[in-house]
Amino acid sequence: MRQPSLTSTHSYQALANHAAKAKEWQMRDLFAQDPQRFERLSVEAAGLFLDYSKNRLDGRTLELLKALAQERGVERLRDAMFNGDKINLTENRAVLHTALRAPRDKQITVDGQDVTADVHAVLDHMKTFTDSVRSGEWRGHTGKEITDVINIGIGGSDLGPKMVCLALRQFAHPRLTMHFVSNVDGHDMDAALSRVNPETTLFIIASKTFTTAETMMNANTARAWFLQQAPEDALAKHFVAVSTNVEAIKTFGIDPQNMFPFWDWVGGRYSVWSAIGLPVALCVGFGYFSDFLAGAHALDEHFRTAPIEQNLPIILALVGFWNRDFLECGSVSIAPYHQDLSRFAAYLQQLDMESNGKRVTRAGDPIDYATGPVIWGDVGTNGQHAYFQLLHQGTDVTPIDFIAALRPAHEFHNHHAALLANCFAQSEAFMKGKTADEVRQDLQGMDAAEIERLVPHKTFPGNRPSNTILMDYLNPATLGALIALYEHKVFVQGVLWDVNSFDQWGVELGKVLAKKIEAELNGEANPGAHDSSTNGLIARAKAAV
Ligand code: F6P
């Protein structure tokens, strides 16, 4: 259905008028005017607390953003997603990652098929399999226990399981080392294979389509490497596969007993909850994997039922939308103050940028407003000593999401106090900045001319927006909720921007061209088929071999 263009809506225009004034506001003043600002602009659900008070907005901004959400049909489309309607219009698919974490007794059907029953049948298979590997009952072909798991996948078939296995390090099985090979660069495979023994290694070939070039090349290389050291009938003990493409798994030669299917209504970047999460279940055990799903489900229920003004993902989305479209912020930095979330920004990059990096509406009309921002970041405090300089004093304003756990899973309590102090200090510094007069105060006693020379360099503009997300501990349930929070934030923003957040046609062109160039690099002649730059680069590569 063709929506009225975003910029023509009543609520967007009201926001645009309001933004003209809001651009003049200083957050220092907003805090001074309202002692209750923190209480007013923070919400809590599913074990997560969100403080969004350090943004350039007020109560009126929120009212207008809420009106926009209603006018754009956020609640209607949310319900359509949960119901299994085919909201992925360009692929004619339902979008039901929420069904992957729904309890067994929840009725969800797609095309007359009972989705929950299918999901739980696979979960039961995952439990049996992972229990037997973890207990040591499942053995390699020479009778030894599995010590290493190599997940071969890319994009959503890599980023989620890898990020979660790292994040839940505290819960990991002591015997199992997890490895992730994603890149077609042979160095990735070489590094993993050089660390493992084929007799004690389990390979998971993870690919929604089972056609992705990188994954297929890596899978074939792993298979060939394995068969150099083991007989063909040993494959069944060492290779399992996760995919929606059951036929392709069979053709690859994997034992049907060792297949873990999922469905086309699970987007790759939303698939960590499906059998794509098999490395997670192996690493932390099925019990904790279930807690991970339950944490996400709790957030789903909150998203589905809470009113807009208390709805964490909707608020996070609205604030991000405000920063992107009205305060012209082109990127968002993700700053987890938790070392175990070291891959979280990389994970969110795919989730957000592959979903909302779009330039036409769901009806295919060109877009004349800003859509998805660039997502990037790294853990605190490391980022502070690298790129925070630009965030504090650079010419771009970059909103930041600070993420922290109030309690550590280690006993170095002085470290944790230092970590949290840095996290809170940074959001305070971004908000307050430092005025020229404050700098002068600091420099008192110095030569007056020298002070004036230094003042512009030591002044911080402040007024830079951030959110802070806190949880008690980082554990399977809070991590599940945190990921679901961002999934739904991305969904809501996609609705506001009227883009299809569930396709990714933009990755296709490069794939097609790479196939052609690969053939040329392997000797097929096709002179002059490209521009002079590409031809020149191909020629140099050919000359080097
Ligand atoms: O090329 C992009 C993409 O399709 C992602 O959306 C996906 O997560 C990734 O490739 C891997 O795809 P697959 O799981 O089918 O191998």
Side-chain angles (χ1 to χ4, degrees):
M1 194 183 62
R2 187 167 256 106
Q3 287 237 51
S5 147
L6 172 66
T7 47
S8 73
T9 59
H10 175 73
S11 36
Y12 185 94
Q13 288 174 6
L15 274 162
N17 290 333
H18 177 75
K21 285 177 269 162
K23 281 183 183 158
E24 305 302 316
W25 295 344
Q26 289 294 321
M27 273 191 266
R28 277 184 183 229
D29 300 335
L30 298 177
F31 273 95
Q33 286 154 14
D34 180 5
Q36 300 299 312
R37 187 172 169 86
F38 171 72
E39 284 74 17
R40 233 187 281 287
L41 302 184
S42 53
V43 275
E44 191 162 13
L48 302 177
F49 174 85
L50 166 66
D51 168 19
Y52 61 104
S53 61
K54 292 192 181 100
N55 279 284
R56 279 154 66 181
L57 46 77
D58 71 355
R60 177 76 184 137
T61 323
L62 291 169
E63 274 171 31
L64 293 172
L65 287 166
K66 178 179 169 182
L68 180 77
Q70 286 167 329
E71 194 172 351
R72 300 304 278 174
V74 165
E75 292 154 297
R76 182 174 47 77
L77 270 153
R78 171 197 63 191
D79 295 346
M81 175 174 74
F82 277 95
N83 282 339
D85 294 0
K86 296 193 173 169
I87 61 168
N88 176 355
L89 298 175
T90 59
E91 296 176 318
N92 195 29
R93 287 177 183 164
V95 174
L96 267 180
H97 43 281
T98 52
L100 299 168
R101 51 227 191 188
R104 210 177 273 272
D105 57 0
K106 178 103 183 158
Q107 264 264 308
I108 305 167
T109 49
V110 172
D111 293 334
Q113 181 69 23
D114 181 351
V115 161
T116 325
D118 290 348
V119 165
H120 281 271
V122 175
L123 285 173
D124 291 344
H125 185 193
M126 287 170 70
K127 177 174 177 357
T128 313
F129 174 71
T130 55
D131 282 354
S132 87
V133 173
R134 288 169 59 84
S135 69
E137 188 192 327
W138 179 289
R139 293 187 178 239
H141 72 108
T142 57
K144 295 184 179 162
E145 292 180 342
I146 298 298
T147 57
D148 293 86
V149 177
I150 301 187
N151 188 78
I152 297 178
I154 197 165
S157 302
D158 166 74
L159 290 161
K162 183 172 177 174
M163 180 274 283
V164 174
C165 286
L166 282 170
L168 300 182
R169 173 184 67 84
Q170 298 285 343
F171 303 83
H173 193 291
R175 178 176 24 90
L176 293 176
T177 304
M178 312 304 294
H179 310 259
F180 292 85
V181 173
S182 54
N183 201 337
V184 75
D185 181 348
H187 296 106
D188 201 8
M189 181 60 81
D190 184 52
L193 294 181
S194 68
R195 285 188 219 117
V196 300
N197 171 358
E199 290 175 73
T200 57
T201 299
L202 178 73
F203 291 92
I204 303 175
I205 316 297
S207 173
K208 177 175 169 179
T209 53
F210 228 75
T211 58
T212 302
E214 293 91 331
T215 301
M216 290 304 105
M217 185 173 270
N218 280 327
N220 284 315
T221 300
R223 191 174 184 277
W225 175 85
F226 181 79
L227 289 177
Q228 278 166 10
Q229 305 161 77
E232 185 98 18
D233 63 3
L235 280 171
K237 287 281 166 210
H238 294 270
F239 279 77
V240 303
V242 181
S243 183
T244 59
N245 189 347
V246 170
E247 285 313 308
I249 301 180
K250 284 187 197 154
T251 311
F252 184 81
I254 285 181
D255 185 339
Q257 298 286 329
N258 301 339
M259 284 182 199
F260 297 85
F262 64 112
W263 307 272
D264 71 358
W265 42 261
V266 183
R269 52 195 174 274
Y270 299 87
S271 65
V272 66
W273 324 98
S274 72
I276 289 291
L278 195 64
V280 177
L282 280 166
C283 178
V284 303
F286 194 80
Y288 285 131
F289 186 69
S290 302
D291 292 350
F292 174 62
L293 300 184
H297 179 66
L299 202 289
D300 291 343
E301 285 303 284
H302 166 77
F303 176 49
R304 211 172 54 75
T305 58
I308 290 181
E309 53 281 1
Q310 286 160 29
N311 197 306
L312 250 82
I314 300 186
I315 289 171
L316 199 58
L318 292 175
V319 171
F321 173 84
W322 169 248
N323 288 335
R324 177 74 180 115
D325 283 59
F326 294 104
L327 304 183
E328 288 119 30
C329 301
S331 82
V332 174
S333 186
I334 305 296
Y337 276 62
H338 199 307
Q339 187 60 33
D340 294 342
L341 288 173
S342 60
R343 294 289 297 170
F344 193 62
Y347 175 79
L348 287 192
Q349 242 166 14
Q350 186 200 16
L351 174 64
D352 202 319
M353 294 169 75
E354 214 175 54
S355 297
N356 288 340
K358 308 284 162 67
R359 53 183 285 286
V360 295
T361 65
R362 277 178 291 177
D365 297 326
I367 277 174
D368 60 355
Y369 45 84
T371 62
V374 173
I375 305 291
W376 61 283
D378 199 354
V379 288
T381 58
N382 296 4
Q384 291 174 206
H385 299 275
Y387 49 77
F388 270 42
Q389 163 63 39
L390 182 146
L391 300 183
H392 281 292
Q393 289 189 316
T395 49
D396 284 324
V397 173
T398 303
I400 302 162
D401 283 357
F402 293 99
I403 301 167
L406 293 175
R407 295 171 211 238
H410 59 71
E411 295 194 339
F412 311 120
H413 291 287
N414 54 338
H415 284 245
H416 201 61
L419 178 79
L420 290 184
N422 273 280
C423 177
F424 302 159
Q426 287 297 329
S427 76
E428 184 177 28
F430 282 114
M431 185 275 282
K432 277 191 176 158
K434 192 168 188 179
T435 64
D437 280 345
E438 287 167 343
V439 176
R440 286 189 190 99
Q441 281 278 322
D442 275 2
L443 298 182
Q444 259 180 10
M446 204 183 258
D447 169 72
E450 184 63 0
I451 290 177
E452 289 314 309
R453 193 177 70 80
L454 289 177
V455 161
H457 299 281
K458 289 183 166 251
T459 301
F460 289 63
N463 214 23
R464 300 198 165 198
S466 68
N467 296 307
T468 301
I469 298 169
L470 300 177
M471 63 198 92
D472 202 11
Y473 287 103
L474 178 65
N475 62 29
T478 52
L479 180 64
L482 182 69
I483 301 170
L485 168 65
Y486 276 97
E487 285 179 348
H488 296 322
K489 170 207 149 169
V490 166
F491 169 80
V492 171
Q493 292 188 335
V495 175
L496 297 174
W497 287 319
D498 189 23
V499 297
N500 181 4
S501 302
F502 301 104
D503 61 13
Q504 56 285 322
W505 300 107
V507 300
E508 295 304 324
L509 177 59
K511 288 183 188 175
V512 173
L513 294 180
K515 276 266 159 250
K516 284 189 193 160
I517 295 177
E518 190 180 336
E520 288 172 54
L521 290 176
N522 286 330
E524 213 171 90
N526 203 3
H530 310 275
D531 56 275
S532 64
S533 160
T534 311
N535 281 332
L537 296 170
I538 294 170
R540 285 186 80 90
K542 282 175 110 167
V545 286

